[in-house]
Coordinates of all heavy atoms in Angstrom, one line a residue:
Chain B
G23 N 18.2 20.7 6.4 CA 18.6 20.8 7.8 C 19.7 19.9 8.2 O 20.3 20.0 9.3
T24 N 19.9 18.9 7.4 CA 20.9 17.8 7.7 C 21.7 17.4 6.4 O 21.3 16.5 5.8 CB 20.2 16.6 8.3 OG1 19.1 16.3 7.4 CG2 19.7 16.8 9.7
M25 N 22.7 18.1 6.2 CA 23.5 18.0 4.9 C 23.9 16.6 4.6 O 23.7 16.1 3.5 CB 24.7 18.9 4.9 CG 25.1 19.5 3.6 SD 26.7 20.4 3.9 CE 26.1 21.7 5.0
G26 N 24.5 15.9 5.6 CA 24.9 14.5 5.5 C 25.8 14.4 4.2 O 26.8 15.2 4.1
N27 N 25.5 13.5 3.4 CA 26.4 13.3 2.2 C 25.9 14.1 1.0 O 26.3 13.9 -0.1 CB 26.5 11.8 1.9 CG 27.4 11.1 2.9 OD1 28.4 11.5 3.2 ND2 26.9 9.9 3.4
F47 N 22.7 22.7 6.3 CA 23.4 22.8 7.6 C 24.0 21.4 7.9 O 23.4 20.4 7.7 CB 22.4 23.1 8.7 CG 21.9 24.5 8.6 CD1 20.8 24.8 7.8 CD2 22.4 25.6 9.3 CE1 20.3 26.1 7.6 CE2 21.9 26.8 9.3 CZ 20.9 27.1 8.4
D48 N 25.2 21.5 8.6 CA 25.7 20.3 9.2 C 26.8 20.7 10.2 O 27.5 21.7 10.0 CB 26.3 19.3 8.2 CG 26.1 17.8 8.7 OD1 26.8 17.4 9.7 OD2 25.3 17.1 8.1
I49 N 27.0 19.9 11.3 CA 28.0 20.2 12.2 C 29.3 19.5 11.9 O 30.4 19.7 12.6 CB 27.6 19.8 13.7 CG1 27.1 18.4 13.7 CG2 26.5 20.8 14.2 CD1 27.0 17.9 15.2
Q50 N 29.3 18.6 10.9 CA 30.5 17.8 10.6 C 31.2 18.3 9.3 O 30.6 18.4 8.3 CB 30.2 16.3 10.5 CG 29.7 15.7 11.8 CD 29.5 14.2 11.7 OE1 30.5 13.5 11.8 NE2 28.3 13.7 11.6
E51 N 32.5 18.5 9.5 CA 33.4 18.9 8.3 C 33.2 17.9 7.2 O 33.1 18.3 6.0 CB 34.9 18.9 8.7 CG 35.3 20.1 9.5 CD 35.6 21.4 8.7 OE1 35.3 21.4 7.5 OE2 36.1 22.3 9.3
Q52 N 33.1 16.6 7.5 CA 33.1 15.6 6.5 C 31.8 15.7 5.7 O 31.8 15.5 4.5 CB 33.1 14.2 7.2 CG 33.3 13.0 6.3 CD 33.1 11.7 7.0 OE1 33.2 11.6 8.2 NE2 32.7 10.7 6.2
A53 N 30.7 16.1 6.3 CA 29.5 16.3 5.6 C 29.6 17.4 4.6 O 29.2 17.3 3.4 CB 28.3 16.6 6.6
I54 N 30.2 18.5 5.0 CA 30.4 19.7 4.2 C 31.2 19.3 2.9 O 30.9 19.6 1.8 CB 31.1 20.8 4.9 CG1 30.4 21.1 6.3 CG2 31.2 22.1 4.0 CD1 29.6 22.3 6.4
H75 N 28.4 25.5 8.2 CA 29.0 24.6 9.2 C 28.5 25.0 10.6 O 29.2 25.6 11.4 CB 30.5 24.7 9.1 CG 31.2 23.7 9.9 ND1 32.6 23.7 10.2 CD2 30.8 22.5 10.5 CE1 32.9 22.7 11.0 NE2 31.9 22.0 11.2
D76 N 27.3 24.6 10.9 CA 26.7 25.0 12.1 C 25.5 24.0 12.4 O 25.0 23.4 11.4 CB 26.2 26.4 12.1 CG 26.0 27.0 13.5 OD1 26.1 26.2 14.5 OD2 25.7 28.2 13.6
G77 N 25.0 24.0 13.6 CA 23.9 23.2 13.9 C 22.6 23.8 13.4 O 22.4 25.0 13.4
H78 N 21.6 22.9 12.9 CA 20.4 23.4 12.4 C 19.5 24.2 13.4 O 18.7 25.0 13.0 CB 19.6 22.3 11.7 CG 19.5 21.0 12.5 ND1 19.5 19.8 11.9 CD2 19.5 20.8 13.8 CE1 19.5 18.9 12.8 NE2 19.5 19.4 14.0
Q79 N 19.8 24.0 14.7 CA 19.0 24.8 15.7 C 19.3 26.3 15.6 O 18.6 27.1 16.2 CB 19.3 24.2 17.1 CG 20.7 24.4 17.6 CD 21.7 23.4 17.2 OE1 21.4 22.6 16.2 NE2 22.8 23.2 17.9
N95 N 16.8 14.9 7.5 CA 17.1 13.5 7.4 C 17.9 13.2 8.7 O 19.1 13.4 8.7 CB 17.9 13.2 6.2 CG 17.5 11.9 5.6 OD1 17.4 10.9 6.3 ND2 17.3 11.9 4.3
L96 N 17.2 12.8 9.8 CA 17.9 12.8 11.1 C 18.7 11.5 11.3 O 18.8 10.7 10.4 CB 16.8 12.9 12.2 CG 15.9 14.2 12.0 CD1 14.7 14.1 12.9 CD2 16.8 15.4 12.4
G97 N 19.4 11.5 12.4 CA 20.3 10.3 12.7 C 21.7 10.7 12.6 O 22.2 11.8 12.9
Y98 N 22.5 9.7 12.0 CA 24.0 9.9 11.9 C 24.3 10.0 10.4 O 23.5 9.8 9.5 CB 24.7 8.7 12.5 CG 24.3 7.3 12.1 CD1 24.7 6.9 10.8 CD2 23.5 6.5 12.9 CE1 24.3 5.6 10.4 CE2 23.1 5.3 12.4 CZ 23.5 4.8 11.2 OH 23.1 3.6 10.8
L99 N 25.6 10.4 10.2 CA 26.1 10.6 8.8 C 26.4 9.2 8.3 O 27.3 8.5 8.8 CB 27.3 11.4 8.8 CG 28.1 11.6 7.5 CD1 27.3 12.5 6.5 CD2 29.5 12.3 7.8
P100 N 25.7 8.7 7.2 CA 26.1 7.4 6.6 C 27.5 7.4 6.2 O 28.0 8.3 5.5 CB 25.1 7.3 5.4 CG 24.0 8.2 5.8 CD 24.6 9.4 6.5
G101 N 28.3 6.4 6.6 CA 29.7 6.3 6.3 C 30.6 7.1 7.2 O 31.8 7.1 7.1
G102 N 30.0 7.9 8.1 CA 30.8 8.7 9.0 C 30.8 8.1 10.4 O 30.6 6.9 10.6
D103 N 31.0 8.9 11.4 CA 31.0 8.5 12.8 C 29.6 8.3 13.3 O 28.9 9.3 13.5 CB 31.8 9.5 13.6 CG 31.8 9.2 15.1 OD1 31.2 8.2 15.5 OD2 32.5 9.9 15.9
H104 N 29.2 7.0 13.6 CA 27.8 6.8 14.0 C 27.6 7.3 15.4 O 26.4 7.2 15.9 CB 27.5 5.3 13.9 CG 27.4 4.8 12.5 ND1 26.8 3.7 12.1 CD2 27.9 5.4 11.3 CE1 26.9 3.5 10.7 NE2 27.5 4.6 10.3
G105 N 28.6 7.7 16.1 CA 28.4 8.2 17.5 C 28.0 9.7 17.4 O 27.4 10.2 18.4
V106 N 28.2 10.4 16.3 CA 27.7 11.7 16.1 C 26.3 11.7 15.6 O 26.1 11.4 14.4 CB 28.6 12.6 15.2 CG1 28.1 14.0 15.1 CG2 30.1 12.5 15.8
I107 N 25.3 12.0 16.4 CA 23.9 11.9 15.9 C 23.2 13.2 16.2 O 23.6 14.0 17.1 CB 23.2 10.7 16.6 CG1 23.2 10.9 18.2 CG2 23.7 9.4 16.2 CD1 22.4 9.9 18.9
T108 N 22.0 13.4 15.5 CA 21.2 14.5 15.9 C 20.6 14.2 17.2 O 20.3 13.1 17.6 CB 20.1 14.7 14.8 OG1 19.4 13.4 14.7 CG2 20.6 15.1 13.5
K109 N 20.5 15.3 18.0 CA 20.0 15.2 19.4 C 18.5 15.7 19.5 O 18.2 16.7 18.9 CB 20.9 16.0 20.3 CG 22.3 15.5 20.4 CD 22.4 14.2 21.1 CE 23.9 13.9 21.6 NZ 24.9 14.3 20.7
T110 N 17.7 15.0 20.2 CA 16.3 15.3 20.2 C 16.1 16.8 20.6 O 15.3 17.5 19.9 CB 15.6 14.4 21.3 OG1 15.8 13.0 20.9 CG2 14.1 14.7 21.4
T112 N 18.0 19.6 20.3 CA 18.3 20.5 19.2 C 17.4 20.3 18.0 O 17.1 21.2 17.2 CB 19.8 20.5 18.8 OG1 20.2 19.1 18.8 CG2 20.6 21.2 19.9
T113 N 17.1 19.0 17.7 CA 16.2 18.7 16.6 C 14.9 19.4 16.7 O 14.4 20.0 15.7 CB 16.0 17.2 16.5 OG1 17.2 16.5 16.2 CG2 15.0 16.8 15.4
Y135 N 15.0 8.0 12.0 CA 15.5 6.6 12.0 C 15.5 6.1 13.4 O 16.3 6.6 14.3 CB 16.9 6.5 11.4 CG 17.0 6.9 10.0 CD1 17.1 8.3 9.7 CD2 17.0 6.0 8.9 CE1 17.1 8.7 8.3 CE2 17.0 6.4 7.6 CZ 17.1 7.8 7.3 OH 17.1 8.2 6.0
G137 N 16.5 3.2 14.5 CA 17.4 2.0 14.7 C 18.6 2.2 15.5 O 19.2 1.2 16.1
H138 N 19.2 3.4 15.7 CA 20.4 3.6 16.4 C 20.1 4.1 17.8 O 18.9 4.5 18.1 CB 21.3 4.7 15.7 CG 20.6 6.0 15.6 ND1 19.7 6.3 14.5 CD2 20.7 7.1 16.3 CE1 19.3 7.5 14.7 NE2 19.8 8.1 15.7
P139 N 21.0 4.0 18.8 CA 20.8 4.4 20.1 C 20.3 5.9 20.2 O 20.9 6.8 19.6 CB 22.2 4.3 20.8 CG 22.9 3.3 20.0 CD 22.4 3.5 18.6
G140 N 19.2 6.1 20.8 CA 18.6 7.5 20.9 C 17.6 7.7 19.7 O 16.9 8.7 19.8
G141 N 17.7 6.9 18.7 CA 16.8 7.1 17.5 C 15.3 7.0 17.8 O 14.5 7.8 17.3
E144 N 14.1 9.9 19.7 CA 14.0 11.1 18.8 C 12.7 11.0 17.9 O 12.0 11.9 17.7 CB 15.2 11.2 17.9 CG 15.2 12.4 17.0 CD 16.5 12.7 16.3 OE1 16.9 11.8 15.5 OE2 17.2 13.7 16.5

Side-chain angles (χ1 to χ4, degrees):
Chain B
T24 49
M25 210 182 300
N27 289 315
F47 293 83
D48 214 291
I49 53 168
Q50 295 188 76
E51 286 275 12
Q52 189 189 337
I54 312 255
H75 188 197
D76 198 353
H78 43 215
Q79 68 273 20
N95 215 314
L96 301 168
Y98 53 77
L99 176 70
D103 178 355
H104 290 198
V106 181
I107 57 170
T108 52
K109 298 289 199 320
T110 301
T112 42
T113 295
Y135 299 83
H138 61 277
E144 183 173 62

